[in-house]
């Protein structure tokens, strides 16, 4: 796990975008895992800017991390729509290459199996963008999720519904259920890039970076990932005992190593 602490969300977005740009230039048909919520927005803004300067995503495929269950197809806050609005409509990704778990299916279990199969058929996820919940969730794998879980339906923790109420008119509109890639699905990605901002994430960051690997803090499973890059601001890093060590390691990396 590499922990990188940077001053601003713009710099964090740019560093994550560097990884994605390098991947896409090296592998034009790369498969990218797409998170929603506030955290990835600086990455999407930066990728859209680079697209305006000529970076193409034409051959790229995208797989959303998760989706609400119970929102009508096309709902403004459905994650399929959010990803379209915040990222894929701003670049030249082919619409058919953008996939999301089907939270509106009559057969949720079957749709989850099909989603796992579609990821495999695309060649697996090369780079998975992640945020982290205040309770340590990644995707919508809430505390208690199996560390080996695959795409499936989950019930949102009340904390998560409260955190996400800001996207809706009121908390009653936040669905109780979601379909999410599992922790096992996320762990299969070849590279994961998690970004986090603000003091509200400091405890979750401390727990998953420096605490024990435990289903009680689902993001802690990333300690087992061979290539996990954690890019956070000073506020999110404020409870890390090893912050100086992480800064030292980043500032003294061999220049050829990348993230
Ligand atoms: C979103 C997702 C969630 C969010 C997390 C943080 O697709 O899977 O894990 O990344 O809830 O949300 P924000 O970034 O809004 O703080």
């Amino acid at each position: 796990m590499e922990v990188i602490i940077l001053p601003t969300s713009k710099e964090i977005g740019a560093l994550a975008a560097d990884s994605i740009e390098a991947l896409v230039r090296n592998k034009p048909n790369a498969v990218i895992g797409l998170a929603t919520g506030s955290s990835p927005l600086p990455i999407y803004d930066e990728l859209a800017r680079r697209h305006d300067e000529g970076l193409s995503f034409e051959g790229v495929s995208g797989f959303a991390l998760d989706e609400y269950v119970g929102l009508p197809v096309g709902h403004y806050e459905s994650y399929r729509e959010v990803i379209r609005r915040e990222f894929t409509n701003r670049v030249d990704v082919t619409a058919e290459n953008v996939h999301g778990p089907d939270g509106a299916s009559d057969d949720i279990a079957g749709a989850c199996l099909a989603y796992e199969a579609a990821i495999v058929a695309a060649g697996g996820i090369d780079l998975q963008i992640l945020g982290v919940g205040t309770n340590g969730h990644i995707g919508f794998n809430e505390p208690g999720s199996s560390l080996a879980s695959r795409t499936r339906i989950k019930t949102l923790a009340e904390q998560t519904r409260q955190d996400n109420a800001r996207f809706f008119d009121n908390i009653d509109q936040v669905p109780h259920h979601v379909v999410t890639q599992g922790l096992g699905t996320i762990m299969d990605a070849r590279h994961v890039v998690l970004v986090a901002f603000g003091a509200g994430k400091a405890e979750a960051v401390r727990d998953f970076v420096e605490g024990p690997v435990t289903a009680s803090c689902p993001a802690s499973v990333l300690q087992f990932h061979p290539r996990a890059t954690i890019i956070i601001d000073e506020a999110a890093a404020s409870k890390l005992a090893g912050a100086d060590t992480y800064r030292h390691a980043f500032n003294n990396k061999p220049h050829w190593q990348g993230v």
Side-chain angles (χ1 to χ4, degrees), residues 196-208 234-240:
F197 307 98
K201 298 291 173 74
E203 273 179 31
V205 166
R206 177 198 62 202
D207 291 351
F208 87 79
E234 293 287 348
S238 58
K239 291 190 190 292
L240 286 173

Side-chain angles (χ1 to χ4, degrees), residues 34-40 65-66 79 130-134 137-141 160 163-164 166-167 180 195 201:
L34 301 169
T36 46
S38 309
S39 304
L65 251 186
D66 39 24
Y79 281 174
L130 293 175
V132 63
T134 52
H137 73 217
I138 48 176
F140 277 135
N141 295 283
T160 303
D163 290 346
N164 285 8
R166 70 190 191 279
F167 296 113
T180 180
V195 291
K201 298 291 173 74

Side-chain angles (χ1 to χ4, degrees), residues 178-253:
V178 290
V179 176
T180 180
Q181 286 186 31
L183 294 172
T185 320
I186 293 168
M187 288 294 283
D188 284 346
R190 295 179 188 95
H191 184 191
V192 300
V193 176
L194 184 152
V195 291
F197 307 98
K201 298 291 173 74
E203 273 179 31
V205 166
R206 177 198 62 202
D207 291 351
F208 87 79
V209 171
E210 296 180 339
V213 174
T214 164
S216 301
C217 180
S220 66
V221 73
L222 298 177
Q223 292 180 33
F224 282 126
H225 197 287
R227 193 171 177 210
T229 307
I230 314 302
I231 317 177
I232 54 180
D233 67 4
E234 293 287 348
S238 58
K239 291 190 190 292
L240 286 173
D244 287 343
T245 309
Y246 311 137
R247 281 193 197 93
H248 177 80
F250 183 64
N251 292 333
N252 291 283
K253 283 181 83 163

Side-chain angles (χ1 to χ4, degrees), residues 63-67 101 108-121 123-125 128 138-142 144-155 178-190 221 225:
F63 282 86
L65 251 186
D66 39 24
E67 182 57 278
I108 292 278
C112 292
L113 284 174
Y115 197 61
E116 288 277 332
I119 293 173
V120 171
I125 291 174
Q128 175 67 59
I138 48 176
F140 277 135
N141 295 283
E142 299 286 25
S145 291
S146 159
L147 301 183
S149 49
R150 311 302 306 187
T151 303
R152 70 214 183 290
I153 191 166
K154 286 294 286 181
T155 302
V178 290
V179 176
T180 180
Q181 286 186 31
L183 294 172
T185 320
I186 293 168
M187 288 294 283
D188 284 346
R190 295 179 188 95
V221 73
H225 197 287

Side-chain angles (χ1 to χ4, degrees), residues 3 10 53 84 105 111-112 132 136 144 157-158 215 243:
V3 180
K10 204 166 164 50
E53 291 180 349
R84 243 198 276 276
S105 173
C112 292
V132 63
E158 270 312 290

